[in-house]
Amino acid sequence: EIVLTQSPTTMAASPGEKVTLTCRASSSVSYMYWYQQKSGTSPKLWIYDTSKLASGVPNRFSGSGSGTSYSLTISSMETEDTATYYCQQGRSYPWTFGGGTKLELK
Amino acid sequence: EVQLQESGPGLVKPSQSLSLTCSVTGYSITSNYWGWIRKFPGNKMEWMGYISYSGSTSYNPSLKSRISITRDTSKNQFFLQLNSVTTEDTATYYCARGGRVFDYWGQGVMVTVSS
């Protein structure tokens, strides 16, 4: 199975700061999905097909990557962006998730 | 609006079966794919399997001998059964729409396996 490794595990960012979260796959995947999960709520699809924003996602978010390396970037951190972000691959069964990056406000 | 709602017991004894229901409103389960995902304490997430619009299924090989996903199209519900549970199956269980990417999720149900 494809193992997804997210880094960092936890990070804190100041309002207005640029944030980059990374997801590395143990084998090449064609695209990556990202979910945002806030405490006590269910995950929300955030980015699909590597770089497409899900409905309602602010355009300060972007996704990029190819092969085994993918990233989610926030151009300017806002308070509401505090959450845990998970990557997920749908290239090879079984679908797998990364361990998550917890993003906090500094 | 598509809505999913999990239901089922929050406590299951070791060696017994875990059974959960996902009730869907706003969309027919005879369209699309419908999956189960769980999140363990410590945040690891695992895709468990899905049932398709036609009723075909696909399961995570790590669970293949213990898992069954079925549906009742008349009630627009689909179900998860996980047999021979152990404490390692303690998790929050989510149902979601999608076979590869999951765009609508239920609120989740926490299931504890304990005697």
PDB file of all heavy atoms in Angstrom, chain B residues 6-13 17-21 91 93 109-112:
ATOM      1  N   GLU B   6     -24.691   8.772  10.548  1.00  0.00           N
ATOM      2  CA  GLU B   6     -24.374   7.448  11.073  1.00  0.00           C
ATOM      3  C   GLU B   6     -25.188   7.163  12.340  1.00  0.00           C
ATOM      4  O   GLU B   6     -25.488   8.075  13.106  1.00  0.00           O
ATOM      5  CB  GLU B   6     -22.884   7.321  11.427  1.00  0.00           C
ATOM      6  CG  GLU B   6     -21.914   7.637  10.308  1.00  0.00           C
ATOM      7  CD  GLU B   6     -21.521   9.100  10.262  1.00  0.00           C
ATOM      8  OE1 GLU B   6     -22.184   9.917  10.953  1.00  0.00           O
ATOM      9  OE2 GLU B   6     -20.566   9.446   9.546  1.00  0.00           O
ATOM     10  N   SER B   7     -25.484   5.900  12.545  1.00  0.00           N
ATOM     11  CA  SER B   7     -26.128   5.491  13.789  1.00  0.00           C
ATOM     12  C   SER B   7     -25.691   4.078  14.131  1.00  0.00           C
ATOM     13  O   SER B   7     -25.342   3.286  13.251  1.00  0.00           O
ATOM     14  CB  SER B   7     -27.653   5.568  13.671  1.00  0.00           C
ATOM     15  OG  SER B   7     -28.119   4.745  12.619  1.00  0.00           O
ATOM     16  N   GLY B   8     -25.734   3.787  15.420  1.00  0.00           N
ATOM     17  CA  GLY B   8     -25.326   2.471  15.878  1.00  0.00           C
ATOM     18  C   GLY B   8     -24.803   2.531  17.292  1.00  0.00           C
ATOM     19  O   GLY B   8     -24.646   3.624  17.855  1.00  0.00           O
ATOM     20  N   PRO B   9     -24.542   1.365  17.879  1.00  0.00           N
ATOM     21  CA  PRO B   9     -24.083   1.337  19.270  1.00  0.00           C
ATOM     22  C   PRO B   9     -22.715   1.955  19.439  1.00  0.00           C
ATOM     23  O   PRO B   9     -21.844   1.798  18.578  1.00  0.00           O
ATOM     24  CB  PRO B   9     -24.075  -0.160  19.596  1.00  0.00           C
ATOM     25  CG  PRO B   9     -24.020  -0.847  18.292  1.00  0.00           C
ATOM     26  CD  PRO B   9     -24.699   0.034  17.301  1.00  0.00           C
ATOM     27  N   GLY B  10     -22.534   2.625  20.546  1.00  0.00           N
ATOM     28  CA  GLY B  10     -21.259   3.253  20.837  1.00  0.00           C
ATOM     29  C   GLY B  10     -20.297   2.339  21.579  1.00  0.00           C
ATOM     30  O   GLY B  10     -19.126   2.671  21.719  1.00  0.00           O
ATOM     31  N   LEU B  11     -20.807   1.196  22.023  1.00  0.00           N
ATOM     32  CA  LEU B  11     -19.979   0.259  22.779  1.00  0.00           C
ATOM     33  C   LEU B  11     -20.226  -1.155  22.266  1.00  0.00           C
ATOM     34  O   LEU B  11     -21.378  -1.582  22.146  1.00  0.00           O
ATOM     35  CB  LEU B  11     -20.309   0.344  24.267  1.00  0.00           C
ATOM     36  CG  LEU B  11     -19.510  -0.559  25.209  1.00  0.00           C
ATOM     37  CD1 LEU B  11     -18.018  -0.184  25.192  1.00  0.00           C
ATOM     38  CD2 LEU B  11     -20.062  -0.465  26.636  1.00  0.00           C
ATOM     39  N   VAL B  12     -19.149  -1.829  21.929  1.00  0.00           N
ATOM     40  CA  VAL B  12     -19.229  -3.201  21.428  1.00  0.00           C
ATOM     41  C   VAL B  12     -18.224  -4.040  22.209  1.00  0.00           C
ATOM     42  O   VAL B  12     -17.111  -3.575  22.489  1.00  0.00           O
ATOM     43  CB  VAL B  12     -18.915  -3.264  19.919  1.00  0.00           C
ATOM     44  CG1 VAL B  12     -19.012  -4.704  19.407  1.00  0.00           C
ATOM     45  CG2 VAL B  12     -19.855  -2.353  19.129  1.00  0.00           C
ATOM     46  N   LYS B  13     -18.603  -5.256  22.534  1.00  0.00           N
ATOM     47  CA  LYS B  13     -17.702  -6.137  23.278  1.00  0.00           C
ATOM     48  C   LYS B  13     -16.711  -6.814  22.321  1.00  0.00           C
ATOM     49  O   LYS B  13     -17.054  -7.103  21.162  1.00  0.00           O
ATOM     50  CB  LYS B  13     -18.491  -7.190  24.033  1.00  0.00           C
ATOM     51  CG  LYS B  13     -19.285  -6.656  25.226  1.00  0.00           C
ATOM     52  CD  LYS B  13     -19.959  -7.786  25.969  1.00  0.00           C
ATOM     53  CE  LYS B  13     -20.657  -7.405  27.229  1.00  0.00           C
ATOM     54  NZ  LYS B  13     -20.761  -6.034  27.601  1.00  0.00           N
ATOM     55  N   SER B  17     -19.731  -8.348  16.820  1.00  0.00           N
ATOM     56  CA  SER B  17     -19.785  -7.628  15.557  1.00  0.00           C
ATOM     57  C   SER B  17     -20.205  -6.188  15.782  1.00  0.00           C
ATOM     58  O   SER B  17     -21.068  -5.897  16.620  1.00  0.00           O
ATOM     59  CB  SER B  17     -20.768  -8.297  14.591  1.00  0.00           C
ATOM     60  OG  SER B  17     -20.292  -9.556  14.195  1.00  0.00           O
ATOM     61  N   LEU B  18     -19.600  -5.316  15.013  1.00  0.00           N
ATOM     62  CA  LEU B  18     -19.932  -3.885  15.020  1.00  0.00           C
ATOM     63  C   LEU B  18     -20.850  -3.654  13.817  1.00  0.00           C
ATOM     64  O   LEU B  18     -20.508  -4.058  12.690  1.00  0.00           O
ATOM     65  CB  LEU B  18     -18.643  -3.086  14.876  1.00  0.00           C
ATOM     66  CG  LEU B  18     -18.618  -1.576  14.823  1.00  0.00           C
ATOM     67  CD1 LEU B  18     -17.188  -1.093  15.134  1.00  0.00           C
ATOM     68  CD2 LEU B  18     -19.052  -1.032  13.484  1.00  0.00           C
ATOM     69  N   SER B  19     -21.992  -3.047  14.068  1.00  0.00           N
ATOM     70  CA  SER B  19     -22.936  -2.780  12.975  1.00  0.00           C
ATOM     71  C   SER B  19     -23.349  -1.321  13.011  1.00  0.00           C
ATOM     72  O   SER B  19     -23.847  -0.840  14.037  1.00  0.00           O
ATOM     73  CB  SER B  19     -24.170  -3.672  13.108  1.00  0.00           C
ATOM     74  OG  SER B  19     -23.817  -5.038  12.948  1.00  0.00           O
ATOM     75  N   LEU B  20     -23.161  -0.641  11.900  1.00  0.00           N
ATOM     76  CA  LEU B  20     -23.511   0.774  11.791  1.00  0.00           C
ATOM     77  C   LEU B  20     -24.385   1.006  10.564  1.00  0.00           C
ATOM     78  O   LEU B  20     -24.262   0.298   9.559  1.00  0.00           O
ATOM     79  CB  LEU B  20     -22.258   1.637  11.689  1.00  0.00           C
ATOM     80  CG  LEU B  20     -21.293   1.605  12.874  1.00  0.00           C
ATOM     81  CD1 LEU B  20     -20.050   2.441  12.559  1.00  0.00           C
ATOM     82  CD2 LEU B  20     -21.959   2.105  14.143  1.00  0.00           C
ATOM     83  N   THR B  21     -25.232   1.996  10.663  1.00  0.00           N
ATOM     84  CA  THR B  21     -26.107   2.402   9.567  1.00  0.00           C
ATOM     85  C   THR B  21     -25.757   3.819   9.149  1.00  0.00           C
ATOM     86  O   THR B  21     -25.474   4.673  10.002  1.00  0.00           O
ATOM     87  CB  THR B  21     -27.579   2.349  10.012  1.00  0.00           C
ATOM     88  OG1 THR B  21     -27.924   1.003  10.341  1.00  0.00           O
ATOM     89  CG2 THR B  21     -28.504   2.859   8.914  1.00  0.00           C
ATOM     90  N   ALA B  91     -12.637   3.457  17.416  1.00  0.00           N
ATOM     91  CA  ALA B  91     -12.405   4.556  16.474  1.00  0.00           C
ATOM     92  C   ALA B  91     -13.690   5.354  16.313  1.00  0.00           C
ATOM     93  O   ALA B  91     -14.761   4.938  16.765  1.00  0.00           O
ATOM     94  CB  ALA B  91     -11.969   4.013  15.113  1.00  0.00           C
ATOM     95  N   TYR B  93     -16.204   6.301  13.445  1.00  0.00           N
ATOM     96  CA  TYR B  93     -16.559   5.767  12.137  1.00  0.00           C
ATOM     97  C   TYR B  93     -17.384   6.803  11.374  1.00  0.00           C
ATOM     98  O   TYR B  93     -18.376   7.328  11.888  1.00  0.00           O
ATOM     99  CB  TYR B  93     -17.350   4.469  12.297  1.00  0.00           C
ATOM    100  CG  TYR B  93     -16.469   3.322  12.753  1.00  0.00           C
ATOM    101  CD1 TYR B  93     -16.050   3.235  14.080  1.00  0.00           C
ATOM    102  CD2 TYR B  93     -16.048   2.343  11.860  1.00  0.00           C
ATOM    103  CE1 TYR B  93     -15.223   2.204  14.507  1.00  0.00           C
ATOM    104  CE2 TYR B  93     -15.222   1.304  12.272  1.00  0.00           C
ATOM    105  CZ  TYR B  93     -14.807   1.250  13.602  1.00  0.00           C
ATOM    106  OH  TYR B  93     -13.991   0.231  14.010  1.00  0.00           O
ATOM    107  N   VAL B 109     -19.553   8.562  14.254  1.00  0.00           N
ATOM    108  CA  VAL B 109     -20.015   7.922  15.490  1.00  0.00           C
ATOM    109  C   VAL B 109     -18.816   7.256  16.150  1.00  0.00           C
ATOM    110  O   VAL B 109     -18.067   6.514  15.514  1.00  0.00           O
ATOM    111  CB  VAL B 109     -21.153   6.903  15.213  1.00  0.00           C
ATOM    112  CG1 VAL B 109     -20.715   5.823  14.240  1.00  0.00           C
ATOM    113  CG2 VAL B 109     -21.644   6.292  16.517  1.00  0.00           C
ATOM    114  N   MET B 110     -18.627   7.562  17.410  1.00  0.00           N
ATOM    115  CA  MET B 110     -17.514   6.977  18.135  1.00  0.00           C
ATOM    116  C   MET B 110     -17.903   5.595  18.641  1.00  0.00           C
ATOM    117  O   MET B 110     -18.959   5.449  19.280  1.00  0.00           O
ATOM    118  CB  MET B 110     -17.109   7.866  19.313  1.00  0.00           C
ATOM    119  CG  MET B 110     -15.899   7.352  20.077  1.00  0.00           C
ATOM    120  SD  MET B 110     -15.404   8.439  21.413  1.00  0.00           S
ATOM    121  CE  MET B 110     -14.806   9.828  20.506  1.00  0.00           C
ATOM    122  N   VAL B 111     -17.106   4.598  18.323  1.00  0.00           N
ATOM    123  CA  VAL B 111     -17.358   3.240  18.761  1.00  0.00           C
ATOM    124  C   VAL B 111     -16.188   2.775  19.614  1.00  0.00           C
ATOM    125  O   VAL B 111     -15.031   2.834  19.179  1.00  0.00           O
ATOM    126  CB  VAL B 111     -17.553   2.285  17.561  1.00  0.00           C
ATOM    127  CG1 VAL B 111     -17.773   0.858  18.065  1.00  0.00           C
ATOM    128  CG2 VAL B 111     -18.732   2.736  16.701  1.00  0.00           C
ATOM    129  N   THR B 112     -16.495   2.343  20.800  1.00  0.00           N
ATOM    130  CA  THR B 112     -15.489   1.816  21.717  1.00  0.00           C
ATOM    131  C   THR B 112     -15.671   0.314  21.835  1.00  0.00           C
ATOM    132  O   THR B 112     -16.806  -0.164  22.031  1.00  0.00           O
ATOM    133  CB  THR B 112     -15.623   2.460  23.104  1.00  0.00           C
ATOM    134  OG1 THR B 112     -15.441   3.874  22.980  1.00  0.00           O
ATOM    135  CG2 THR B 112     -14.580   1.903  24.069  1.00  0.00           C
TER     136      THR B 112
END
